[in-house]
Amino acid sequence: MLACPSTTFHCPTTFHRHSHPSKLLLSKSKPLIFPPRSSFAAFGKLKLSSIFSGKNCRRFNVKASIDSSSELLESADGGSSHIAPHSVKIPVGDRYILVETGHMGRQASGSVTVTDGETIVYTTVCLDDIPSEPSDFFPLSVNYQERFSAAGRTSGGFFKREGKTKDHEVLICRLIDRPLRPTMPKGFYHETQILSWVLSYDGLHIPDSLAVTAAGIALALSEVPTSKAVAGVRVGLVGDKYIVNPTSEEMENSELDLMLAGTDSAILMIEGYGNFLPEEKLLKAVEVGQDAVRAICNEVEALVKKCGKPKMVDAIKLPPPELYKHVEEIAGDELVKVLQIRNKIPRRKALSSLEEKVLKILSENGFVTNDTAPRNNAETIAEILEDEDEDEEVIVDGEVDEGDVHIKPTPRKPTRLFSEVDVKLVFKDVTSKFLRKRIVEGGKRSDGRTPNEIRPINSSCGLLPRAHGSALFTRGETQSLAVATLGDNKMAQRIDNLMDVDDYKRFYLQYSFPPSCVGEVGRIGAPSRREIGHGMLAERSLETILPSDKDFPYTIRVESTITESNGSSSMASVCGGCLALQDAGVPIKSSIAGIAMGLVLDTKEFGGDGTPLILSDITGSEDASGDMDFKVAGNEDGITAFQMDIKVGGITLAIMREALLQAKDGRKHILGEMMKCLPPPAKRLSKYAPLIHVMKVRPDKINLIIGSGGKKVKSIIEQSGIEAIDTEDNGTVKIFARDLASLEMSKAIISNLTMVPTIGDIYRNCEIKSIVPYGAFVEIAPGREGLCHISELSSAWLAKAEDAFKVGDRIDVKLIEINDKGQLRLSHRALLPDADPDNSNSTDKGSLEEVISLTNAGLVEEKTEQNAKVNTRKGRTSSKRSSEDNSALPSKKFIRRSSEDKPVTNKDKIKKSDNKDESSLVSEEA
């Protein structure tokens, strides 16, 4: 019977289905209408036995959270009346974005798709039927996912299904969450979930700014009682032109990457990175972005009027106002003294003790109850559940008949009961109020500083002897241990996302915040979203000052472990990371410092003149109780990274300008203190850091280094004992080694493999590898051999080569010819004292042709290079040929040169070859 949607019960008390499954209206003399089977689960959470049991079951008067005039989502016959599909084009920058709702995700509280070009982002908003326990933190969760199918790809990993959220997706989740949270009203505890997917990506229109806008629109269309619509845009700076929502191609040339979100009247969040961007340019970019956000929000407001659902305003439950008075009376005087404690841990313990004292006093006076039933501020329990027993005798004039004794009853007003959660929430609000009042009225903060004063700073480098670079940076009660590690390309971090198929990061900063840094016990495991976000902010702050890969071909990793925290730990990571890079010998462009700024917006409420008060270098309590957390990193000339979160309805450009200028003064002070680091950074490579040698060879010689199936490069690594060899198609070769000896050995092997021999070069002490009837094969370099014909072995006539030489003998030879196949013809006779210059430079065509024919017939093993193509021109002098070949040779580059390295001379073009692998190069350059 319950399965039938039209089943009707005649009951004095009935339920009416409204747009939200947890909102019910109860009335009399109307049939009880049950929802369809699919919706019946929503009523499972309602205990009917508790409603119809007890002596007070005769009359109920429960109010719904939504007005009865709201549009019904389900009719009595089980049908549904969803909002009709609707779309609108909104101008953004130089193009339009398409916003559509009502055609996807119709069962969600709010759903929307936003399209820019061929990039489509789909976002939904849903909320729980039953409110969560009251808390000072709104139960909002955000998940963003980039489907690889959106770009026509699959994951490059073993698992082809999208799984764990990637770091860059976590960063976008934070971009969505941070501007929406300040718009949520206090007292709304229904858990809210925002899900966002990239369904299509065209490679040009970046989806993260669209995801912020889509979440703001979906939330505005839903039942969540947000204050205003929120939208987000990206602003780039190409030349002198500010571009709203630039394409990925335009961002390649942009000096600024700014993400901005806000409402039609205020800024809620900014985050971005710049190349030492001046403050005025940043403010101009914010102004351009705010204009674009305002235009989007105005269009969204019109869309909400047509398609939006009624807001659950009545679901907001705030602590009773009289509780604030009780808490202030009990804790006011003592709270003023506690907030003057300078150190964080003693102050925290004192506040906790005072909170327990307030709870105890209120409990003893009968004001606190452990009842966890939902609060209702509009009516008391006595008003909701009225006892109307019609059979009870009515006593006139309020007198109660007690036999012969008539007692006039004293009317008792029901005592208002508060929950423990209410008391804790109010105590936190009162503490925040007293802290603001102390700063505004007294001009002093908890640690005794003035609003623009920086905490004491000290730093030191070289703490960890085996680390490549280390630094300990301390600012007040915030401390960061930063460690820099240098490595080869294998240490680079691979990124698998929609933007790039194979993207590798050569610099990354990893931030960790263990619970011990705040004196607590907590979970240790995978990095939290906060840790990922703070690490990326510090990473982008330092990325601008790093040298290019060409100048410093190392992969760099910086770890920042927060060993002590009392606010602004991400900016301490910037300062400590900068010192660690210097200590590791990284040639950075300049030093970078970071600072966090705070704000008390309405000072008039706390005894001020109403002018917003900017705070420099805020602590944890000032971050929690203040209205802004504005982090700025850079040097004296400009900004490299910034991030601003607002806890109020937004701020204006004037406030932001003042905060930026005050932050600039703070950065100058911090940079000056960093210069006093003791001991100072080493500014040279650690002896434990790997050595990297960069050399250039002809691109067509790269295959000689790699070999068939990589056999040659593996043999070079095994033979020399180096770490790795990295080759590029343009002829760049990077050798990674742990010691200088192995580096030199591998360098010599590669140089000999890729050398370009020049006619007239002389090679000393070369080994005879084999003897044939027509001459001897001589190794002039490891892996490179040439034929010394029997006529060139001696100035006298030889019947057989064995008559004068044997395998293993060492002789000096001169290169006299290179044929079209790259085969080398050597002469020992040309270096003998009685040698005839004319005869030595002549070419014995018959002998060379004999070698070629024997080789082609398979009688002689081919041991010379086959890929070199050098044209032999007769009649030209060897010096002319040498100059032509040297002009085409690529150059080599040393990243680190030892005292044993000496420049190679080309005097007399004499090359020495011995039985060691560290043989000198054939020519001056590799």
Side-chain angles (χ1 to χ4, degrees):
M1 180 169 59
L2 296 180
C4 179
S6 60
T7 301
T8 303
F9 285 358
H10 291 283
C11 179
T13 304
T14 60
F15 296 79
H16 291 278
R17 179 76 167 145
H18 274 254
S19 59
H20 196 278
S22 66
K23 306 300 176 289
L24 306 173
L25 282 179
L26 282 74
S27 62
K28 288 189 175 183
S29 66
K30 290 187 179 180
L32 175 61
I33 302 175
F34 282 89
R37 179 188 294 268
S38 60
S39 301
F40 194 81
F43 288 88
K45 301 177 182 178
L46 188 61
K47 296 182 179 179
L48 297 180
S49 60
S50 63
I51 296 177
F52 292 105
S53 63
K55 64 178 182 179
N56 294 322
C57 65
R58 292 180 176 82
R59 180 182 175 186
F60 293 79
N61 198 9
V62 180
K63 292 189 175 181
S65 296
I66 300 179
D67 197 345
S68 59
S69 62
S70 302
E71 179 184 358
L72 296 179
L73 294 183
E74 295 186 11
S75 59
D77 59 357
S80 62
S81 55
H82 294 290
I83 297 175
H86 190 81
S87 63
V88 60
K89 284 187 175 181
I90 301 177
V92 179
D94 58 354
R95 59 184 184 272
Y96 289 85
I97 62 172
L98 177 65
V99 178
E100 298 175 282
T101 185
H103 70 292
M104 290 177 64
R106 294 177 298 176
Q107 295 187 33
S109 180
S111 66
V112 68
T113 58
V114 178
T115 305
D116 187 5
E118 293 182 343
T119 298
I120 302 176
V121 176
Y122 166 56
T123 302
T124 63
V125 174
C126 291
L127 61 160
D128 200 356
D129 298 340
I130 299 187
S132 305
E133 287 296 322
S135 170
D136 60 342
F137 192 76
F138 178 69
L140 171 67
S141 61
V142 179
N143 284 277
Y144 168 90
Q145 186 181 71
E146 294 177 350
R147 297 281 176 86
F148 284 99
S149 58
R153 299 198 297 113
T154 58
S155 173
F158 181 79
F159 297 101
K160 299 303 178 183
R161 182 187 183 97
E162 286 82 4
K164 178 186 175 183
T165 306
K166 304 177 183 66
D167 284 1
H168 76 278
E169 292 174 330
V170 169
L171 297 173
I172 297 175
C173 289
R174 286 171 55 82
L175 289 177
I176 297 172
D177 181 285
R178 283 159 42 205
L180 296 179
R181 195 170 291 277
T183 65
M184 300 296 181
K186 288 185 176 182
F188 185 75
Y189 300 114
H190 290 264
E191 184 177 352
T192 305
Q193 185 180 51
I194 299 176
L195 303 179
S196 186
W197 297 270
V198 179
L199 301 183
S200 177
Y201 177 62
D202 58 9
L204 286 177
H205 304 92
I206 308 174
D208 51 2
S209 59
L210 299 180
V212 177
T213 300
I217 297 175
L219 205 60
L221 293 172
S222 72
E223 298 157 301
V224 180
T226 53
S227 55
K228 285 189 175 183
V230 176
V233 295
R234 168 178 269 105
V235 180
L237 177 59
V238 180
D240 294 329
K241 182 181 179 182
Y242 294 92
I243 304 175
V244 177
N245 279 3
T247 63
S248 56
E249 294 178 351
E250 292 172 327
M251 283 302 299
E252 292 178 358
N253 302 317
S254 177
E255 299 179 21
L256 171 69
D257 181 7
L258 167 65
M259 280 291 299
L260 182 144
T263 64
D264 58 352
S265 58
I267 302 166
L268 294 173
M269 182 273 295
I270 65 170
E271 179 172 323
Y273 315 97
N275 187 14
F276 300 105
L277 196 72
E279 282 76 6
E280 289 302 323
K281 284 190 175 182
L282 174 58
L283 289 169
K284 179 63 178 176
V286 172
E287 184 178 358
V288 172
Q290 176 63 11
D291 291 340
V293 166
R294 184 181 299 110
I296 297 174
C297 290
N298 291 336
E299 295 289 340
V300 172
E301 293 291 349
L303 178 65
V304 171
K305 291 180 180 178
K306 295 180 180 179
C307 307
K309 295 181 179 178
K311 298 296 182 181
M312 297 171 56
V313 179
D314 290 343
I316 299 174
K317 305 300 179 184
L318 294 172
E322 57 267 28
L323 182 56
Y324 287 85
K325 182 179 179 181
H326 290 307
V327 172
E328 289 187 18
E329 289 177 351
I330 297 172
D333 296 337
E334 193 170 348
L335 193 58
V336 173
K337 297 177 183 179
V338 170
L339 292 177
Q340 296 177 10
I341 301 175
R342 290 175 176 267
N343 295 328
K344 174 183 176 180
I345 299 299
R347 184 172 62 249
R348 186 182 68 187
K349 291 182 177 179
L351 285 173
S352 179
S353 176
L354 183 58
E355 182 185 66
E356 292 179 1
K357 178 182 177 181
V358 172
L359 271 171
K360 182 179 179 181
I361 293 176
L362 290 176
S363 299
E364 291 175 351
N365 293 333
F367 288 102
V368 174
T369 178
N370 293 325
D371 188 10
T372 59
R375 298 185 306 269
N376 193 323
N377 294 333
E379 296 175 303
T380 63
I381 298 176
E383 292 173 330
I384 295 176
L385 302 176
E386 293 184 5
D387 186 3
E388 289 190 359
D389 192 347
E390 297 178 357
D391 298 331
E392 186 177 2
E393 182 182 355
V394 178
I395 306 298
V396 183
D397 296 332
E399 294 181 352
V400 180
D401 187 9
E402 293 289 344
D404 296 333
V405 180
H406 294 270
I407 303 174
K408 190 157 185 144
T410 303
R412 291 185 305 172
K413 298 179 66 176
T415 304
R416 189 60 176 271
L417 298 179
F418 312 117
S419 67
E420 289 189 12
V421 176
D422 282 337
V423 176
K424 292 181 178 180
L425 291 175
V426 171
F427 182 81
K428 183 176 180 180
D429 288 343
V430 171
T431 302
S432 176
K433 174 183 175 181
F434 275 66
L435 179 62
R436 291 165 174 249
K437 189 174 182 180
R438 170 179 166 81
I439 296 174
V440 175
E441 280 188 350
K444 294 289 184 179
R445 294 145 80 171
S446 293
D447 52 7
R449 289 182 294 148
T450 59
N452 59 353
E453 189 176 351
I454 310 297
R455 289 175 287 179
I457 295 174
N458 62 78
S459 53
S460 58
C461 290
L463 278 76
L464 310 178
R466 293 303 294 260
H468 299 162
S470 60
L472 185 67
F473 178 84
T474 307
R475 178 166 53 197
E477 292 181 302
T478 298
Q479 189 179 73
S480 168
L481 175 62
V483 180
T485 306
L486 307 178
D488 56 18
N489 290 352
K490 291 182 179 179
M491 203 178 83
Q493 184 180 30
R494 181 181 176 182
I495 301 175
D496 192 12
N497 55 27
L498 289 181
M499 312 302 175
D500 302 288
V501 177
D502 289 318
D503 187 17
Y504 290 88
K505 290 175 61 175
R506 61 178 289 261
F507 169 67
Y508 47 94
L509 188 148
Q510 295 171 335
Y511 166 101
S512 60
F513 191 90
S516 61
C517 70
V518 289
E520 296 178 354
V521 176
R523 180 187 64 90
I524 294 293
S528 64
R529 292 190 171 189
R530 179 181 180 274
E531 289 175 310
I532 293 173
H534 281 26
M536 178 55 66
L537 177 62
E539 176 184 311
R540 295 294 295 270
S541 301
L542 296 172
E543 192 174 24
T544 309
I545 64 174
L546 295 178
S548 65
D549 182 52
K550 181 180 179 181
D551 296 330
F552 194 75
Y554 283 93
T555 297
I556 306 169
R557 178 196 183 197
V558 175
E559 302 165 79
S560 175
T561 303
I562 305 304
T563 53
E564 188 177 351
S565 178
N566 187 15
S568 190
S569 59
S570 61
M571 295 296 97
S573 300
V574 173
C575 302
C578 180
L579 292 173
L581 289 173
Q582 291 177 300
D583 192 53
V586 180
I588 61 175
K589 299 175 184 178
S590 67
S591 295
I592 291 292
I595 188 172
M597 311 298 294
L599 170 70
V600 178
L601 185 61
D602 187 9
T603 56
K604 193 171 184 180
E605 180 184 353
F606 307 105
D609 57 359
T611 305
L613 181 62
I614 307 294
L615 305 177
S616 295
D617 185 24
I618 58 175
T619 61
S621 59
E622 292 165 346
D623 183 6
S625 301
D627 298 324
M628 178 182 74
D629 181 12
F630 192 6
K631 302 179 179 71
V632 186
N635 60 6
E636 298 178 357
D637 299 325
I639 299 171
T640 59
F642 50 90
Q643 183 184 93
M644 183 186 73
D645 294 322
I646 297 298
K647 300 179 180 65
V648 291
I651 65 171
T652 61
L653 279 173
I655 298 175
M656 189 179 297
R657 176 178 284 104
E658 183 180 352
L660 284 173
L661 296 178
Q662 192 166 321
K664 184 176 183 179
D665 295 336
R667 292 200 312 274
K668 290 180 180 179
H669 172 79
I670 297 170
L671 287 170
E673 295 297 315
M674 290 170 61
M675 295 293 291
K676 303 175 185 178
C677 178
L678 191 68
K683 296 187 178 180
R684 57 178 174 79
L685 284 178
S686 167
K687 62 180 180 180
Y688 301 111
L691 305 177
I692 298 182
H693 175 69
V694 180
M695 57 191 303
K696 292 281 288 186
V697 301
R698 283 173 43 171
D700 59 343
K701 302 288 185 181
I702 290 294
N703 290 333
L704 296 176
I705 302 174
I706 299 174
S708 176
K711 293 181 180 179
K712 189 61 180 177
V713 70
K714 292 178 182 177
S715 67
I716 297 174
I717 294 174
E718 292 176 0
Q719 183 178 354
S720 60
I722 60 175
E723 295 290 323
I725 296 176
D726 183 54
T727 60
E728 298 178 10
D729 293 338
N730 62 358
T732 301
V733 179
K734 296 179 183 178
I735 306 173
F736 304 89
R738 288 292 175 183
D739 56 86
L740 187 60
S742 61
L743 177 65
E744 291 294 336
M745 181 182 294
S746 62
K747 184 173 63 176
I749 295 174
I750 294 174
S751 299
N752 292 328
L753 281 174
T754 60
M755 71 177 183
V756 180
T758 304
I759 294 177
D761 287 344
I762 298 173
Y763 304 94
R764 301 289 187 185
N765 198 28
C766 299
E767 182 182 0
I768 297 177
K769 287 293 186 180
S770 61
I771 295 178
V772 292
Y774 48 84
F777 283 97
V778 182
E779 185 181 53
I780 61 174
R784 296 300 302 272
E785 296 181 8
L787 173 65
C788 186
H789 194 264
I790 191 171
S791 63
E792 298 293 340
L793 282 173
S794 175
S795 55
W797 182 85
L798 291 176
K800 294 186 299 182
E802 290 89 340
D803 295 342
F805 302 97
K806 63 180 182 297
V807 175
D809 288 350
R810 292 187 172 273
I811 60 175
D812 298 336
V813 293
K814 180 179 181 179
L815 181 60
I816 59 176
E817 182 184 354
I818 305 174
N819 68 3
D820 293 339
K821 294 185 177 181
Q823 297 167 329
L824 309 179
R825 187 165 186 251
L826 307 173
S827 173
H828 177 60
R829 183 168 65 93
L831 300 178
L832 297 177
D834 56 346
D836 184 0
D838 295 335
N839 293 335
S840 65
N841 290 330
S842 63
T843 303
D844 189 343
K845 296 182 180 179
S847 300
L848 197 58
E849 290 174 357
E850 179 184 359
V851 175
I852 297 172
S853 63
L854 290 173
T855 302
N856 293 336
L859 301 178
V860 179
E861 181 182 359
E862 179 60 69
K863 297 183 179 181
T864 56
E865 181 182 341
Q866 298 295 324
N867 295 329
K869 297 181 179 180
V870 182
N871 295 325
T872 304
R873 293 185 173 90
K874 298 180 180 180
R876 296 189 180 182
T877 63
S878 61
S879 62
K880 182 176 181 181
R881 176 60 183 267
S882 176
S883 63
E884 291 176 354
D885 283 349
N886 282 342
S887 64
L889 284 176
S891 61
K892 66 180 180 180
K893 180 175 182 181
F894 289 89
I895 295 304
R896 174 173 164 181
R897 188 188 297 274
S898 70
S899 59
E900 299 175 2
D901 290 340
K902 297 180 180 179
V904 181
T905 60
N906 200 27
K907 186 177 181 180
D908 298 329
K909 291 184 177 290
I910 297 176
K911 313 297 177 182
K912 182 177 180 181
S913 177
D914 53 22
N915 57 355
K916 297 181 181 180
D917 287 329
E918 296 93 341
S919 303
S920 301
L921 305 183
V922 174
S923 60
E924 180 179 357
E925 296 177 328

